[in-house]
Structures are given as structure tokens and as C-alpha cells.
Amino acid sequence: MTQPRISAVIPCYNAARFLDESIRSILSQTRPPDEVIVVDDGSTDDSAAIARRSGVTCISLRTNSGPGAARNRGISAATGDMIAFLDADDHWSPTHIEEVASLLARYPESPVAFSRIRKFGKDDTISPSSLPEGAPQYLFWQLIEENIVAQSTAVVRRATLQAHGCYNETRRYSEDYELWLRLARHHPFVCTNAITAGYRVHPMQASSNVENMLAGRWRVKHQLWQDAKSTESGSFVDQLEQRMLKAWQATLDKAWWERDRTQFLAALELHELVPRSGASFRRWTRHFRWVWKPWLVLSDIWDRMPEPTRAVVRPALTAALEPRRERASPADYPLGPRESDL
């Protein structure tokens, strides 16, 4: 049986200090790609020269057009049956292609395979905490609540990308998330809990802009909701609204408990993009105004409190510091979509 051809595509904008490491991680794969394409997105540094010295194909765009446009240019130039994406400041572990691309060979019904990623630099965590590995699954509803597909771990069938219009070039932020939602609406994804890539956390990257990244994700969801109101069933729209509200509240909850004021206020400001969020927005606004400063004082005390004492006071503290709101029953949020809903 003929092995599928695999093309590696790297969009690059002023990433000269990282690009050589990224390319070397591709060339050292246990299953090397059949071609490597770097798309220099109007860089003003030595990115293009570094790519050419490495012996890979380099396509230079005259002006900076954004990561979506750069990836699309790479896809159009690629000859592979599968496209393996890597951002210029990230890297792959040696077995990345072998582990992730093999999932698509094993499951021909799935067009997207991905894995977990380890952050490094200013952060050192694994994202996401776990994945629903095994046979391909419809992940649309899970993606509405959280983007679990790390761009630099994704391997996608080129024919599927072309059939669905590839990346939306008008989006400078969350263009990958918008693509995953579009594909997940129609296709099952397959994934592995293996950690096969590294995501570099540094000040130069776009994702360091908390407000723009958060707003980008919610604009994607909001547009999906707007479109769904005229094209989808009432039950689908209803579930979409519930999921969006749940995701927004989870973002606020997380920022609150992590005492991340910037993330919390950024999420709160996006309430107009979240259906059914009016009452919750008012409660959270009042909660922030009256409880934020006492919460910081109490949380500092909490940090210094021994664990046995925490176990005693935790229930009362949680009840006092969370805003009152109606709690949906688990039945309101099905564990996953039925194929008939897709």
C-alpha cells in the first residue's frame, strides 16, 4: 500500500530567532515529511534566508498578510495528501508525524488528527489536560466550550481543507479555531493523548495579547451563532446558546479563581457577543465591584493556610465568593452531539 505524502507547512513572520530550531525538529522526524514549505509572511528579519539555508522550500509574500493567508499559500503549493502544520516559534518531538499522521491512515473517515502540546518558556504546562482519544469523534460541542486543537499538533487532509475553503484570511486572531469549528461541524476528529509538540511562550507571539486572542475566539463563536439562527434548527441554536453561555461563565470563573484581573475584565467586556448573558453580566459586574478587593486579601490568607484548615473553610468560601446564578442541570448539556444534530 502506497504511503500518503505529507507536507509540512510553517507560516513565519519575523521569527528568525526560532525558525532554525523549528525546521530542525521537522527534518529530524522518525517519519520525515515528503516536503517542507516555509511561507515567509513579509518578514523584515532573516527568516527567509534561514529557511533557504536549511534546504527547504521558501515562499516569500511581499506584505504581511496574517497566519491564515500564509498557511493557505502553503496549502496551495503543497503536493502532499496530508498537511502537518507547525508555527515558526514551536517545535515537534521526533515522533510527531509518526504518531499523529498515522491516526489519519488508521481512520480514513477522519480528516483531522491532533495531539497534546507542552508549553515552554515563561510557562510549563501541558494543554489540554486530556483528550478523548480512540476512535474518531464529533467534537463540535466540545470545541464550542474550549479549543482543544493545538495548531502546531494538527495534521489535516489537504482535500478536506480545500473543500472547506481553508483558513479565513480576514481573521488575524483565532483563524485556526474558526477552521476547526467549520470542519468539526461536518467531520469526526481523531486525537492522541501523546505530547508531540512544544509551544513556545514568549512576548513576541500574537497569543500573548490576552484581549485580542479572547475577543478573536468570541467573535468566531458569535458569527457562528448569527449564521446558525438563519440556517439551523431551533434546537441546535438553543444548545449553541447554552454552550456559549457555559463557556463564557467558565472563562470568568477560571480568571476569578486564578486572580487574573486582565483576563477577567477582558471576558466581562465581551458579554455582548454571548447570547443570554445579560443577567449573568450584571451579577458578575456587581460581584467584581464589591468582592474583588476582599477576595484578593482572603486568597492571600488562603495561600498561607494549611491544607486541613482549607478543607474545612472551602465550602463556605466558595459559596460566599461566587456570584449567585441559576445552575443548569447536567441534562441541559449533553456529553456530545448526536450525528443527527450535525
PDB file of all heavy atoms in Angstrom, residues 316-338:
ATOM      1  N   ALA A 316     -17.650  27.020  52.463  1.00  0.00           N
ATOM      2  CA  ALA A 316     -18.212  28.328  52.801  1.00  0.00           C
ATOM      3  C   ALA A 316     -17.590  29.428  51.959  1.00  0.00           C
ATOM      4  O   ALA A 316     -18.281  30.355  51.507  1.00  0.00           O
ATOM      5  CB  ALA A 316     -17.992  28.613  54.289  1.00  0.00           C
ATOM      6  N   LEU A 317     -16.300  29.340  51.707  1.00  0.00           N
ATOM      7  CA  LEU A 317     -15.620  30.357  50.903  1.00  0.00           C
ATOM      8  C   LEU A 317     -16.130  30.348  49.468  1.00  0.00           C
ATOM      9  O   LEU A 317     -16.383  31.406  48.873  1.00  0.00           O
ATOM     10  CB  LEU A 317     -14.109  30.103  50.926  1.00  0.00           C
ATOM     11  CG  LEU A 317     -13.221  31.150  50.264  1.00  0.00           C
ATOM     12  CD1 LEU A 317     -13.330  32.477  50.999  1.00  0.00           C
ATOM     13  CD2 LEU A 317     -11.775  30.683  50.218  1.00  0.00           C
ATOM     14  N   THR A 318     -16.319  29.159  48.918  1.00  0.00           N
ATOM     15  CA  THR A 318     -16.836  29.050  47.547  1.00  0.00           C
ATOM     16  C   THR A 318     -18.226  29.667  47.438  1.00  0.00           C
ATOM     17  O   THR A 318     -18.519  30.428  46.511  1.00  0.00           O
ATOM     18  CB  THR A 318     -16.880  27.575  47.120  1.00  0.00           C
ATOM     19  OG1 THR A 318     -15.568  27.021  47.180  1.00  0.00           O
ATOM     20  CG2 THR A 318     -17.419  27.446  45.699  1.00  0.00           C
ATOM     21  N   ALA A 319     -19.084  29.352  48.400  1.00  0.00           N
ATOM     22  CA  ALA A 319     -20.449  29.884  48.375  1.00  0.00           C
ATOM     23  C   ALA A 319     -20.465  31.394  48.505  1.00  0.00           C
ATOM     24  O   ALA A 319     -21.281  32.087  47.888  1.00  0.00           O
ATOM     25  CB  ALA A 319     -21.267  29.254  49.507  1.00  0.00           C
ATOM     26  N   ALA A 320     -19.545  31.950  49.298  1.00  0.00           N
ATOM     27  CA  ALA A 320     -19.535  33.390  49.530  1.00  0.00           C
ATOM     28  C   ALA A 320     -18.965  34.174  48.365  1.00  0.00           C
ATOM     29  O   ALA A 320     -19.388  35.299  48.101  1.00  0.00           O
ATOM     30  CB  ALA A 320     -18.728  33.697  50.797  1.00  0.00           C
ATOM     31  N   LEU A 321     -18.023  33.588  47.634  1.00  0.00           N
ATOM     32  CA  LEU A 321     -17.285  34.357  46.643  1.00  0.00           C
ATOM     33  C   LEU A 321     -17.752  34.144  45.205  1.00  0.00           C
ATOM     34  O   LEU A 321     -17.333  34.849  44.309  1.00  0.00           O
ATOM     35  CB  LEU A 321     -15.791  34.039  46.733  1.00  0.00           C
ATOM     36  CG  LEU A 321     -15.135  34.550  48.027  1.00  0.00           C
ATOM     37  CD1 LEU A 321     -13.703  34.073  48.100  1.00  0.00           C
ATOM     38  CD2 LEU A 321     -15.190  36.060  48.099  1.00  0.00           C
ATOM     39  N   GLU A 322     -18.625  33.174  44.956  1.00  0.00           N
ATOM     40  CA  GLU A 322     -19.171  33.012  43.611  1.00  0.00           C
ATOM     41  C   GLU A 322     -20.481  33.778  43.517  1.00  0.00           C
ATOM     42  O   GLU A 322     -21.299  33.749  44.433  1.00  0.00           O
ATOM     43  CB  GLU A 322     -19.432  31.539  43.293  1.00  0.00           C
ATOM     44  CG  GLU A 322     -18.169  30.785  42.914  1.00  0.00           C
ATOM     45  CD  GLU A 322     -18.488  29.458  42.274  1.00  0.00           C
ATOM     46  OE1 GLU A 322     -19.599  28.949  42.511  1.00  0.00           O
ATOM     47  OE2 GLU A 322     -17.637  28.937  41.540  1.00  0.00           O
ATOM     48  N   PRO A 323     -20.727  34.482  42.409  1.00  0.00           N
ATOM     49  CA  PRO A 323     -21.988  35.189  42.249  1.00  0.00           C
ATOM     50  C   PRO A 323     -23.135  34.199  42.143  1.00  0.00           C
ATOM     51  O   PRO A 323     -22.986  33.112  41.573  1.00  0.00           O
ATOM     52  CB  PRO A 323     -21.811  35.957  40.932  1.00  0.00           C
ATOM     53  CG  PRO A 323     -20.812  35.164  40.174  1.00  0.00           C
ATOM     54  CD  PRO A 323     -19.873  34.591  41.205  1.00  0.00           C
ATOM     55  N   ARG A 324     -24.267  34.562  42.697  1.00  0.00           N
ATOM     56  CA  ARG A 324     -25.421  33.668  42.615  1.00  0.00           C
ATOM     57  C   ARG A 324     -25.949  33.642  41.185  1.00  0.00           C
ATOM     58  O   ARG A 324     -26.132  34.672  40.565  1.00  0.00           O
ATOM     59  CB  ARG A 324     -26.534  34.160  43.556  1.00  0.00           C
ATOM     60  CG  ARG A 324     -26.159  34.049  45.027  1.00  0.00           C
ATOM     61  CD  ARG A 324     -27.318  34.498  45.900  1.00  0.00           C
ATOM     62  NE  ARG A 324     -26.992  34.375  47.297  1.00  0.00           N
ATOM     63  CZ  ARG A 324     -27.151  33.243  47.989  1.00  0.00           C
ATOM     64  NH1 ARG A 324     -27.628  32.184  47.406  1.00  0.00           N
ATOM     65  NH2 ARG A 324     -26.833  33.193  49.273  1.00  0.00           N
ATOM     66  N   ARG A 325     -26.192  32.467  40.689  1.00  0.00           N
ATOM     67  CA  ARG A 325     -26.801  32.335  39.372  1.00  0.00           C
ATOM     68  C   ARG A 325     -27.464  30.979  39.284  1.00  0.00           C
ATOM     69  O   ARG A 325     -27.121  30.048  40.008  1.00  0.00           O
ATOM     70  CB  ARG A 325     -25.775  32.483  38.250  1.00  0.00           C
ATOM     71  CG  ARG A 325     -24.687  31.414  38.221  1.00  0.00           C
ATOM     72  CD  ARG A 325     -23.905  31.541  36.933  1.00  0.00           C
ATOM     73  NE  ARG A 325     -22.859  30.550  36.854  1.00  0.00           N
ATOM     74  CZ  ARG A 325     -21.591  30.791  37.122  1.00  0.00           C
ATOM     75  NH1 ARG A 325     -21.217  31.992  37.506  1.00  0.00           N
ATOM     76  NH2 ARG A 325     -20.681  29.837  37.023  1.00  0.00           N
ATOM     77  N   GLU A 326     -28.398  30.859  38.382  1.00  0.00           N
ATOM     78  CA  GLU A 326     -29.079  29.585  38.224  1.00  0.00           C
ATOM     79  C   GLU A 326     -28.098  28.566  37.674  1.00  0.00           C
ATOM     80  O   GLU A 326     -27.379  28.829  36.725  1.00  0.00           O
ATOM     81  CB  GLU A 326     -30.263  29.728  37.252  1.00  0.00           C
ATOM     82  CG  GLU A 326     -31.403  30.565  37.808  1.00  0.00           C
ATOM     83  CD  GLU A 326     -32.560  30.589  36.846  1.00  0.00           C
ATOM     84  OE1 GLU A 326     -32.523  29.845  35.845  1.00  0.00           O
ATOM     85  OE2 GLU A 326     -33.503  31.352  37.086  1.00  0.00           O
ATOM     86  N   ARG A 327     -28.086  27.415  38.293  1.00  0.00           N
ATOM     87  CA  ARG A 327     -27.192  26.354  37.856  1.00  0.00           C
ATOM     88  C   ARG A 327     -27.953  25.403  36.941  1.00  0.00           C
ATOM     89  O   ARG A 327     -28.990  24.871  37.311  1.00  0.00           O
ATOM     90  CB  ARG A 327     -26.654  25.563  39.057  1.00  0.00           C
ATOM     91  CG  ARG A 327     -25.867  26.426  40.038  1.00  0.00           C
ATOM     92  CD  ARG A 327     -24.512  26.766  39.468  1.00  0.00           C
ATOM     93  NE  ARG A 327     -23.741  27.571  40.401  1.00  0.00           N
ATOM     94  CZ  ARG A 327     -22.488  27.904  40.215  1.00  0.00           C
ATOM     95  NH1 ARG A 327     -21.872  27.534  39.123  1.00  0.00           N
ATOM     96  NH2 ARG A 327     -21.845  28.644  41.099  1.00  0.00           N
ATOM     97  N   ALA A 328     -27.436  25.206  35.751  1.00  0.00           N
ATOM     98  CA  ALA A 328     -28.092  24.269  34.831  1.00  0.00           C
ATOM     99  C   ALA A 328     -27.842  22.848  35.296  1.00  0.00           C
ATOM    100  O   ALA A 328     -26.804  22.538  35.870  1.00  0.00           O
ATOM    101  CB  ALA A 328     -27.530  24.455  33.423  1.00  0.00           C
ATOM    102  N   SER A 329     -28.813  21.996  35.065  1.00  0.00           N
ATOM    103  CA  SER A 329     -28.631  20.593  35.414  1.00  0.00           C
ATOM    104  C   SER A 329     -27.749  19.941  34.351  1.00  0.00           C
ATOM    105  O   SER A 329     -27.671  20.419  33.215  1.00  0.00           O
ATOM    106  CB  SER A 329     -29.976  19.890  35.460  1.00  0.00           C
ATOM    107  OG  SER A 329     -30.486  19.735  34.150  1.00  0.00           O
ATOM    108  N   PRO A 330     -27.066  18.842  34.701  1.00  0.00           N
ATOM    109  CA  PRO A 330     -26.223  18.163  33.713  1.00  0.00           C
ATOM    110  C   PRO A 330     -26.976  17.772  32.447  1.00  0.00           C
ATOM    111  O   PRO A 330     -26.405  17.718  31.372  1.00  0.00           O
ATOM    112  CB  PRO A 330     -25.723  16.923  34.478  1.00  0.00           C
ATOM    113  CG  PRO A 330     -25.785  17.314  35.925  1.00  0.00           C
ATOM    114  CD  PRO A 330     -26.991  18.230  36.024  1.00  0.00           C
ATOM    115  N   ALA A 331     -28.266  17.533  32.578  1.00  0.00           N
ATOM    116  CA  ALA A 331     -29.047  17.125  31.402  1.00  0.00           C
ATOM    117  C   ALA A 331     -29.159  18.242  30.373  1.00  0.00           C
ATOM    118  O   ALA A 331     -29.423  17.999  29.203  1.00  0.00           O
ATOM    119  CB  ALA A 331     -30.446  16.690  31.838  1.00  0.00           C
ATOM    120  N   ASP A 332     -28.949  19.493  30.823  1.00  0.00           N
ATOM    121  CA  ASP A 332     -29.037  20.612  29.889  1.00  0.00           C
ATOM    122  C   ASP A 332     -27.874  20.628  28.906  1.00  0.00           C
ATOM    123  O   ASP A 332     -27.925  21.298  27.884  1.00  0.00           O
ATOM    124  CB  ASP A 332     -29.057  21.944  30.653  1.00  0.00           C
ATOM    125  CG  ASP A 332     -30.351  22.139  31.416  1.00  0.00           C
ATOM    126  OD1 ASP A 332     -31.364  21.563  30.981  1.00  0.00           O
ATOM    127  OD2 ASP A 332     -30.345  22.845  32.430  1.00  0.00           O
ATOM    128  N   TYR A 333     -26.788  19.925  29.254  1.00  0.00           N
ATOM    129  CA  TYR A 333     -25.596  19.949  28.411  1.00  0.00           C
ATOM    130  C   TYR A 333     -25.208  18.518  28.057  1.00  0.00           C
ATOM    131  O   TYR A 333     -24.465  17.866  28.798  1.00  0.00           O
ATOM    132  CB  TYR A 333     -24.439  20.641  29.136  1.00  0.00           C
ATOM    133  CG  TYR A 333     -24.769  22.056  29.514  1.00  0.00           C
ATOM    134  CD1 TYR A 333     -24.968  22.417  30.834  1.00  0.00           C
ATOM    135  CD2 TYR A 333     -24.910  23.031  28.525  1.00  0.00           C
ATOM    136  CE1 TYR A 333     -25.274  23.715  31.176  1.00  0.00           C
ATOM    137  CE2 TYR A 333     -25.215  24.337  28.859  1.00  0.00           C
ATOM    138  CZ  TYR A 333     -25.404  24.672  30.190  1.00  0.00           C
ATOM    139  OH  TYR A 333     -25.713  25.953  30.525  1.00  0.00           O
ATOM    140  N   PRO A 334     -25.713  17.979  26.974  1.00  0.00           N
ATOM    141  CA  PRO A 334     -25.376  16.607  26.596  1.00  0.00           C
ATOM    142  C   PRO A 334     -23.870  16.425  26.483  1.00  0.00           C
ATOM    143  O   PRO A 334     -23.144  17.366  26.166  1.00  0.00           O
ATOM    144  CB  PRO A 334     -26.052  16.457  25.221  1.00  0.00           C
ATOM    145  CG  PRO A 334     -27.118  17.501  25.203  1.00  0.00           C
ATOM    146  CD  PRO A 334     -26.609  18.634  26.029  1.00  0.00           C
ATOM    147  N   LEU A 335     -23.413  15.198  26.728  1.00  0.00           N
ATOM    148  CA  LEU A 335     -21.976  14.943  26.713  1.00  0.00           C
ATOM    149  C   LEU A 335     -21.385  15.129  25.328  1.00  0.00           C
ATOM    150  O   LEU A 335     -20.209  15.399  25.188  1.00  0.00           O
ATOM    151  CB  LEU A 335     -21.708  13.519  27.208  1.00  0.00           C
ATOM    152  CG  LEU A 335     -22.029  13.266  28.684  1.00  0.00           C
ATOM    153  CD1 LEU A 335     -21.767  11.797  29.019  1.00  0.00           C
ATOM    154  CD2 LEU A 335     -21.182  14.162  29.574  1.00  0.00           C
ATOM    155  N   GLY A 336     -22.149  14.998  24.292  1.00  0.00           N
ATOM    156  CA  GLY A 336     -21.621  15.158  22.947  1.00  0.00           C
ATOM    157  C   GLY A 336     -22.758  15.254  21.960  1.00  0.00           C
ATOM    158  O   GLY A 336     -23.907  14.997  22.290  1.00  0.00           O
ATOM    159  N   PRO A 337     -22.465  15.612  20.707  1.00  0.00           N
ATOM    160  CA  PRO A 337     -23.533  15.749  19.721  1.00  0.00           C
ATOM    161  C   PRO A 337     -23.978  14.407  19.182  1.00  0.00           C
ATOM    162  O   PRO A 337     -23.210  13.468  19.099  1.00  0.00           O
ATOM    163  CB  PRO A 337     -22.848  16.561  18.612  1.00  0.00           C
ATOM    164  CG  PRO A 337     -21.424  16.141  18.699  1.00  0.00           C
ATOM    165  CD  PRO A 337     -21.153  15.900  20.153  1.00  0.00           C
ATOM    166  N   ARG A 338     -25.238  14.341  18.858  1.00  0.00           N
ATOM    167  CA  ARG A 338     -25.704  13.189  18.091  1.00  0.00           C
ATOM    168  C   ARG A 338     -25.385  13.439  16.632  1.00  0.00           C
ATOM    169  O   ARG A 338     -25.378  14.595  16.172  1.00  0.00           O
ATOM    170  CB  ARG A 338     -27.234  13.030  18.252  1.00  0.00           C
ATOM    171  CG  ARG A 338     -27.690  12.815  19.684  1.00  0.00           C
ATOM    172  CD  ARG A 338     -29.187  12.617  19.730  1.00  0.00           C
ATOM    173  NE  ARG A 338     -29.883  13.773  19.196  1.00  0.00           N
ATOM    174  CZ  ARG A 338     -30.205  14.839  19.919  1.00  0.00           C
ATOM    175  NH1 ARG A 338     -29.877  14.912  21.186  1.00  0.00           N
ATOM    176  NH2 ARG A 338     -30.848  15.867  19.363  1.00  0.00           N
TER     177      ARG A 338
END
